[in-house]
């Protein structure tokens, strides 16, 4: 139940909650029914029934007043009031990989799943100790949930985790040992892993791009229709209709050209470079910004000025520089519409050049 602290009068601050000792948390606050009639002046003399329904639909995590001694505060006394609330439970579990992820070197991904909205989020990590950071990132991006659902792994129920849950008034629940099916995140993670494997197989992307593909699939699942809720997860979470224009331009691991902003040698250097599309940027740039894995340095770049690599609009400067001109000519001959016999006559002469 929510903690409610209500003043009976302007100069009085009685605590309407009974505090008792508890072995697990140190104390437990039991809610008592407020006197709604006495609160009408604070609510502009609205009716008692309106105030009563308001209490049921809201939280009251702040103690009023804090003290009769007025002093300057350098730290928020009630951090739970500064966080957006997410009206659902969030389940979490971890995915382990036998291949370090490109660029980051992560060997695992901490996954969070909204139990009602099915919104799924993943964060790359190297050790279990990073769970506390991923939890804080999930809260600041999506909001504080009603409860955190997990198994009984030590990293998930550590003292630091409980400290965050207490400060933000977040409940917790753990599944029974050896009963992983009790964790609601398991089913959604199965979908995540199977879709990731399918994309890696169909695109031929290297196995060290598994984390990039996991993040890509999370974005897809959040912005496409989910049968179990009969809605789009992000629309159910935020209440606004998501735009999927960014999904329709590239497929995962597609070769692309991205614009270079710092070319200094004209005209010897091309203003484009080649990379592979590996996902969407949710926190950098405008709404049509992509994540590109460079082919030379294997680093992630965030770029909005991107175009696909096609035979019709190839950057021949880059092709010649990389010694791939012959490959472009062979592909153009194969797609020219010539008969197979004509292609067989032309291709040997191309290979001899």
């Amino acid at each position: 139940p929510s903690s409610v602290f209500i003043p009976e009068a302007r100069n009085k601050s009685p605590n309407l909650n009974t505090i008792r000792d508890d072995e697990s948390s140190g104390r437990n606050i039991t809610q008592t029914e407020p006197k709604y009639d006495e609160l009408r002046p604070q609510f502009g003399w609205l009716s008692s029934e309106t105030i009563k329904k308001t209490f049921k639909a809201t939280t009251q995590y702040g103690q009023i007043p804090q003290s009769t001694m007025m002093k300057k505060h350098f730290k928020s006394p009630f951090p739970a009031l500064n966080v957006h609330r997410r009206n659902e439970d969030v389940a979490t579990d971890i995915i382990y990989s036998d291949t370090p992820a490109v660029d980051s070197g992560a060997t695992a991904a901490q996954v969070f799943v909204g139990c009602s909205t099915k919104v799924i989020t993943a964060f790359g990590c190297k050790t279990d100790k990073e769970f506390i950071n991923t939890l804080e990132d999930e809260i600041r991006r999506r909001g504080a949930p009603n409860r955190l659902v997990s198994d009984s792994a030590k990293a998930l129920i550590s003292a630091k985790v409980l400290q965050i849950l207490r400060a933000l008034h977040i409940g917790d629940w753990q599944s029974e040992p050896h009963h992983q099916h009790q964790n609601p995140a398991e089913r959604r993670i199965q979908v995540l892993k199977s879709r990731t494997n399918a994309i890696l197989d169909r695109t031929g992307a290297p196995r060290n791009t598994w984390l990039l593909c996991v993040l890509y699939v999370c974005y897809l699942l959040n912005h496409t229709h989910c049968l179990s809720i009969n809605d789009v997860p992000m629309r159910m979470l935020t209440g606004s209709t998501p735009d999927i224009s960014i999904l329709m331009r590239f497929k995962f691991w597609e070769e692309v050209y991205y614009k270079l902003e710092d070319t200094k040698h004209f005209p010897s250097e091309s203003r484009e470079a080649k990379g592979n599309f590996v996902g969407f940027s949710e926190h950098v740039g405008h709404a049509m910004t992509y994540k590109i894995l460079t082919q030379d340095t294997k680093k992630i770049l965030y770029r909005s000025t991107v175009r696909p690599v096609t035979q019709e609009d190839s950057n021949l400067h880059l092709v010649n520089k990389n010694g791939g001109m012959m490959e472009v000519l062979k592909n153009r001959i194969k797609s020219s519409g010539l008969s197979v016999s004509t292609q067989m006559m032309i291709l040997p002469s191309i290979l001899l050049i």
Side-chain angles (χ1 to χ4, degrees):
S2 302
S3 314
V4 184
F5 298 89
I6 302 298
E8 288 186 351
R10 183 182 297 261
N11 297 322
K12 297 181 180 180
S13 56
N15 189 349
L16 301 183
N17 298 276
T18 303
I19 301 179
R20 61 182 175 82
D21 292 334
D22 186 89
E23 294 181 358
S24 60
S25 62
R27 67 175 189 172
N28 184 37
I29 301 176
T30 304
Q31 183 181 11
T32 57
E33 190 74 12
K35 299 178 181 179
Y36 301 111
D37 290 335
E38 296 182 4
L39 291 171
R40 293 187 63 199
Q42 284 90 329
F43 286 84
W45 283 272
L46 294 173
S47 67
S48 300
E49 186 65 22
T50 300
I51 298 174
K52 182 177 181 180
K53 292 181 179 180
T54 300
F55 268 71
K56 291 182 179 180
T58 59
T59 60
Q60 305 87 41
Y61 291 150
Q63 184 176 0
I64 307 173
Q66 302 170 34
S67 172
T68 57
M69 299 294 294
M70 294 185 291
K71 56 184 179 180
K72 187 175 182 179
H73 293 277
F74 295 92
K75 185 177 180 181
S76 174
F78 305 111
L81 302 181
N82 302 329
V83 180
H84 171 70
R85 310 304 299 188
R86 179 177 178 178
N87 190 26
E88 65 172 337
D89 294 347
V90 171
T92 184
D93 205 352
I94 193 168
I95 298 175
Y96 292 100
S97 170
D98 58 1
T99 305
V102 65
D103 193 20
S104 66
T107 55
Q110 190 69 45
V111 181
F112 296 88
V113 178
C115 296
S116 300
T117 63
K118 303 303 179 185
V119 170
I120 184 169
T121 312
F123 300 92
C125 52
K126 297 179 181 179
T127 64
D128 293 342
K129 295 180 180 179
E130 295 181 52
F131 171 73
I132 189 71
N133 304 113
T134 62
L135 175 61
E136 291 175 329
D137 287 340
E138 175 69 5
I139 292 173
R140 69 185 180 87
R141 291 183 182 182
R142 307 290 192 199
N146 297 332
R147 289 191 307 172
L148 179 66
V149 179
S150 66
D151 54 29
S152 298
K154 292 183 179 180
L156 307 185
I157 56 175
S158 66
K160 290 185 178 181
V161 173
L162 292 178
Q163 184 178 2
I164 291 179
L165 299 184
R166 288 168 180 160
L168 300 181
H169 289 257
I170 300 173
D172 65 307
W173 183 88
Q174 291 81 40
S175 59
E176 182 182 351
H178 309 294
H179 287 67
Q180 293 88 346
H181 60 278
Q182 295 179 354
N183 189 338
E186 292 290 342
R187 183 67 187 95
R188 196 65 168 165
I189 289 177
Q190 289 180 4
V191 176
L192 173 64
K193 293 174 69 175
S194 63
R195 184 54 48 192
T196 299
N197 278 326
I199 291 175
L200 291 176
D201 291 342
R202 282 164 173 74
T203 60
R207 293 297 164 175
N208 61 0
T209 61
W210 68 269
L211 179 58
L212 296 171
C213 193
V214 163
L215 300 178
Y216 170 78
V217 173
C218 286
Y219 191 94
L220 286 180
L221 295 178
N222 290 340
H223 291 81
T224 53
H225 188 269
C226 178
L227 290 176
S228 61
I229 61 174
N230 194 31
D231 203 345
V232 177
M234 283 304 296
R235 183 171 69 174
M236 194 168 184
L237 176 65
T238 64
S240 61
T241 302
D243 188 274
I244 60 169
S245 303
I246 196 172
L247 297 178
M248 298 184 288
R249 192 174 183 193
F250 304 115
K251 62 178 180 291
F252 187 81
W253 201 244
E254 181 175 349
E255 279 196 319
V256 296
Y257 295 121
Y258 60 93
K259 187 177 182 297
L260 295 176
E261 302 293 345
D262 54 353
T263 54
K264 300 179 180 179
H265 301 284
F266 173 82
S268 58
E269 286 187 356
S270 174
R271 297 182 62 189
E272 296 179 330
K274 186 181 287 188
N276 294 88
F277 164 75
V278 291
F280 312 102
S281 172
E282 299 185 66
H283 308 287
V284 178
H286 59 68
M288 297 289 287
T289 305
Y290 306 90
K291 287 196 291 187
I292 307 298
L293 181 67
T294 62
Q295 293 189 354
D296 50 358
T297 61
K298 301 301 180 184
K299 297 294 183 182
I300 298 296
L301 300 179
Y302 299 92
R303 294 291 184 270
S304 59
T305 310
V306 184
R307 69 182 182 94
V309 175
T310 61
Q311 297 179 16
E312 295 77 14
D313 296 310
S314 299
N315 187 323
L316 298 182
H317 180 89
L318 292 179
V319 171
N320 289 326
K321 182 179 179 181
N322 298 328
M325 185 62 182
M326 295 301 103
E327 192 66 27
V328 173
L329 292 175
K330 287 190 291 182
N331 291 333
R332 288 187 175 180
I333 290 173
K334 290 180 180 179
S335 61
S336 62
L338 298 175
S339 63
V340 176
S341 58
T342 305
Q343 291 184 30
M344 294 299 293
M345 294 174 60
I346 297 175
L347 285 174
S349 60
I350 294 294
L351 295 176
L352 294 175
I353 296 177

